[in-house]
Amino acid sequence: MDVAVASDGSVYVADTLNNRIQKFTSEGVLLCICGTSEWEGPMGTVDTKLFNPRGVAVASDGSVYVADSVNDRIQKLTSEGVFAGQWGTKGTGNGQFNNPAGVAVASDGSVYVADTKNDRIQKFTSLGVFVSKWGTSGTGDGKFNYPYGVAVATDGSVYVADKQSDRIQKFTSEGVFVTKWGTQGTGDGQLRLPARIAVASDGSVYVADSYNNRVQKFSPGP
């Protein structure tokens, strides 16, 4: 349900229903089936076990962050899949989650989590220390309805695929609302349950427009 690319070109895939992460070269050569290492199950709740991992991100230092969705936590791994830490429990408090589906890492190491069923974004340090949060349920600016994908641009801007509102929202790194775009539909710039989002080095924004079976590319906006 997600894919991330490291600076060395390695590709990490959240193999969700197999409860594992897989690692490949940029040409698709398998490097690690994480079910035979500490990365995978059988599905469970102890450290290094995954249960429906839906999001994966790679930091500039090679650390891998996994949105371990049904376990309501984030797991941190080395590039070789060695367990390096985890944080989160089920709930609505700071640092707690309800089925987090997306995770992204900024150039400064900050970790952003799409806390999907809590309709909010949470920000942490690379060690999982809570920094801030924003968002509540709703359709207004800065509110969310099932935020699923999250991405960070090189300038620190945070983009969120607000899935059930059929739109993208853009924020500063501190969670201040900047702009939004998208309405439900099939036309250019319209979206139907957008699930994932990625930002290129030139600022271009790519959206997995899931129920329209397409990818759309946008400028970064203001």
Side-chain angles (χ1 to χ4, degrees), residues 38-108:
E38 291 183 309
W39 290 41
E40 196 259 358
M43 60 187 175
T45 58
V46 299
D47 292 347
T48 77
K49 305 297 186 182
L50 300 173
F51 196 169
N52 282 188
R54 291 180 182 146
V56 62
V58 186
S60 57
D61 67 357
S63 298
V64 179
Y65 295 86
V66 181
D68 191 9
S69 297
V70 178
N71 281 329
D72 297 301
R73 65 185 178 184
I74 300 299
Q75 290 210 49
K76 181 179 180 179
L77 312 166
T78 69
S79 58
E80 289 76 34
V82 177
F83 176 77
Q86 59 93 6
W87 70 88
T89 57
K90 191 176 187 68
T92 60
N94 295 342
Q96 293 186 305
F97 303 109
N98 190 351
N99 283 106
V103 61
V105 187
S107 58
D108 67 358

